[in-house]
Amino acid sequence: MKRRPLLAAGLATAATLGFSRRGWSQTKPFDGMTLRLASVNDQYSPGLKALAARFHQETGIAVVVDILGYGELQTKVTTDYVGHTKGYDLATTDNVWAPQFAEAGYTVPLNDWMTRDAAEMKLDDIYPVLFTALGNYKGKQVAFPLAGYANVLAYRKDLYKSANLQPPATMQALVANAYTLTDKAHNQYGWVANGQKGAACAQDWMQYLAEVGGVLVANGQPTLNTPLNIQSLTTYRDLFQKAAPPGAVNWDWDGREASFRSGLAANMQTWSVGALGYFDPKQSKVTETAGLMVTPTADGMKPRYGIGGWGIAINADIDDRHKDAAWTFIKWITSPEIHIALNQLDACSFLRRSELHDPGLNRKYPFLSVIDESFTHGDADFRPRVPQYPEIQDILGTAVNSALVGAMTPAAALAAAQTQALRYF
């Protein structure tokens, strides 16, 4: 996962939301303690920082939130864990990091605490797929769900209507529509995705690949260059060459999101976390014409809705008292009342059924039914959740971009990637 455009509006109201939390403030067993939290710079991060002040008021625990870029966060927390330097007590954790962290024992398994506090935390209100996707590996919960995202399709309702097209029910229809809706003479493009070398293009191609039935790891071995995967990358390259805006091969998440909000692109698969911005006139030109729907899959395939987002984990090296305080914070920030407060601060990051059916949030976010459908039938494994995921992503980040810019054919790029990936299995 990667940062999305931040919506800072509303943060000033954090201290005035006025929720009564008498239960949290009746006792303060950790009064005076300070916890350090490393958070990725994403849509929920400013709200997390703003609410830390309220947590301090209620519990006496100061939480210092250090907001970092995706790569910087991964490097800092991994270095902290490997070196046992105890720099952070808590860290937000990308869903694909959990297997590596679980096998290395970097973070505290939360299973026993979750069993003990299940009723208090109303865990049955959280979508089950989010426990799997955002921190579970082989039954060990090494991070607690903090921010769930659904892979969705953003599209332009007005362009579809003008072309007498229906929103795509299959990936084949999506590809065909992308070409039909491309009109370069009028600076209109039917498709946009991340093309930038590295995690950006690797992650976007992986979600496209999953929706056409491709598999990257099978029976414990990499399968990067299967015929289906090569065909998928060939179609993907052609979309970039014939239906994407100029320069898209160099764009990451921010670039492609900006292109959709500016009205340049007609279709964009994306994470739901950025969707609020499409309906914000301060940053979008498509507030009246943007639509959101569940992602299509290939003709004949069972729908496969990708699930991503972030968990929050406790450093295994810190002492027991700090672990207990860190768990107190996790319980608090993911509680029904406080998580709604986080989303009132534009987090666009959801966990609970009660949130997605909350009248106030539905007025603020006019697309929660799409996320509900995605979470209810979501697939936690649409990207391979294996300990070697970071290496696979790095390898594909080069291979996919090489194909997109024409430096290698899709077959050659994936063959080279397969050779590299085999070294890690």
Side-chain angles (χ1 to χ4, degrees):
M1 218 56 51
K2 188 71 164 53
R3 75 175 293 273
R4 305 297 190 281
L6 298 178
L7 299 176
L11 295 183
T13 62
T16 61
L17 287 171
F19 297 96
S20 173
R21 300 284 297 178
R22 295 182 59 193
W24 291 101
S25 56
Q26 286 172 344
T27 60
K28 295 184 177 180
F30 305 106
D31 193 17
M33 182 180 289
T34 296
L35 298 175
R36 291 188 60 83
L37 165 59
S39 172
V40 73
N41 185 9
D42 214 332
Q43 188 88 1
Y44 63 82
S45 311
L48 199 64
K49 195 165 190 173
L51 287 170
R54 181 174 162 193
F55 181 69
H56 188 205
Q57 288 181 338
E58 295 188 7
T59 66
I61 303 171
V63 178
V64 178
V65 182
D66 196 4
I67 298 177
L68 306 167
Y70 183 91
E72 186 181 15
L73 172 70
Q74 187 176 19
T75 298
K76 276 198 168 184
V77 298
T78 303
T79 301
D80 192 25
Y81 296 156
V82 171
H84 305 289
T85 47
K86 306 177 188 178
Y88 292 104
D89 303 288
L90 291 150
T92 61
T93 303
D94 193 357
N95 64 320
V96 289
W97 300 349
Q100 183 185 42
F101 286 6
E103 293 226 326
Y106 289 153
T107 63
V108 176
L110 306 173
N111 302 64
D112 289 346
W113 277 331
M114 289 169 57
T115 299
R116 184 192 68 188
D117 299 335
E120 176 191 351
M121 298 177 74
K122 299 181 179 177
L123 296 188
D124 58 358
D125 186 35
I126 297 176
Y127 290 87
V129 72
L130 299 182
F131 286 109
T132 305
L134 306 186
N136 194 293
Y137 183 65
K138 294 183 176 179
K140 188 183 293 185
Q141 196 74 39
V142 295
F144 194 85
L146 174 66
Y149 307 159
N151 184 209
V152 295
L153 177 67
Y155 68 101
R156 286 279 301 282
K157 295 184 291 186
D158 57 328
L159 297 179
Y160 269 81
K161 184 177 180 180
S162 296
N164 290 318
L165 293 173
Q166 294 298 316
T170 65
M171 287 304 292
Q172 287 87 348
L174 173 58
V175 172
N177 291 349
Y179 289 128
T180 300
L181 295 173
T182 297
D183 181 359
K184 296 182 181 180
H186 292 89
N187 204 31
Q188 185 67 61
Y189 297 88
W191 163 272
V192 70
N194 291 344
Q196 187 183 81
K197 183 179 180 180
C201 71
Q203 290 190 13
D204 268 17
W205 178 65
M206 279 191 269
Q207 69 187 25
Y208 175 84
L209 177 70
E211 289 153 359
V212 297
V215 174
L216 293 170
V217 177
N219 300 317
Q221 291 295 308
T223 57
L224 306 190
N225 63 334
T226 64
L228 179 58
N229 292 358
I230 293 170
Q231 179 56 53
S232 164
L233 185 53
T234 302
T235 303
Y236 202 70
R237 176 203 61 188
D238 292 348
L239 282 167
F240 267 87
Q241 293 180 348
K242 300 175 184 176
V249 292
N250 298 314
W251 290 351
D252 66 0
W253 295 267
D254 289 347
R256 74 155 158 76
E257 290 281 339
S259 75
F260 184 79
R261 293 196 306 270
S262 69
L264 198 60
N267 293 287
M268 176 181 69
Q269 292 205 79
T270 187
W271 291 110
S272 56
V273 65
L276 189 59
Y278 313 152
F279 306 97
D280 178 2
K282 295 180 181 177
Q283 53 180 318
S284 174
K285 296 181 179 178
V286 295
T287 56
E288 302 298 324
T289 58
L292 220 66
M293 61 177 284
V294 295
T295 50
T297 47
D299 188 23
M301 266 186 67
K302 180 181 177 181
R304 192 177 188 190
Y305 307 139
I307 301 299
W310 291 84
I312 182 168
I314 300 174
N315 188 340
D317 287 323
I318 64 176
D319 62 62
D320 288 346
R321 184 169 160 76
H322 279 77
K323 289 175 184 175
D324 287 338
W327 178 241
T328 298
F329 178 74
I330 290 174
K331 289 168 60 178
W332 185 85
I333 195 67
T334 62
S335 64
E337 180 184 349
I338 300 302
H339 215 264
I340 285 178
L342 182 65
N343 277 304
Q344 287 172 336
L345 297 173
D346 300 338
C348 201
S349 305
F350 304 95
L351 297 178
R352 296 178 174 274
R353 294 183 177 90
S354 58
E355 282 181 296
L356 293 182
H357 294 87
D358 179 79
L361 291 185
N362 271 276
R363 285 192 293 274
K364 181 179 180 66
Y365 300 93
F367 47 81
L368 295 190
S369 62
V370 176
I371 299 177
D372 177 51
E373 172 73 7
S374 299
F375 283 179
T376 300
H377 303 289
D379 182 352
D381 295 309
F382 83 111
R383 285 189 285 170
R385 296 191 313 117
V386 296
Q388 299 91 344
Y389 176 84
E391 289 80 15
I392 290 176
Q393 179 174 281
D394 287 346
I395 292 167
L396 287 177
T398 297
V400 172
N401 180 261
S402 295
L404 298 185
V405 301
M408 299 179 77
T409 66
L414 291 179
Q418 173 72 6
T419 299
Q420 294 177 58
L422 283 169
R423 299 171 186 163
Y424 298 97
F425 285 81

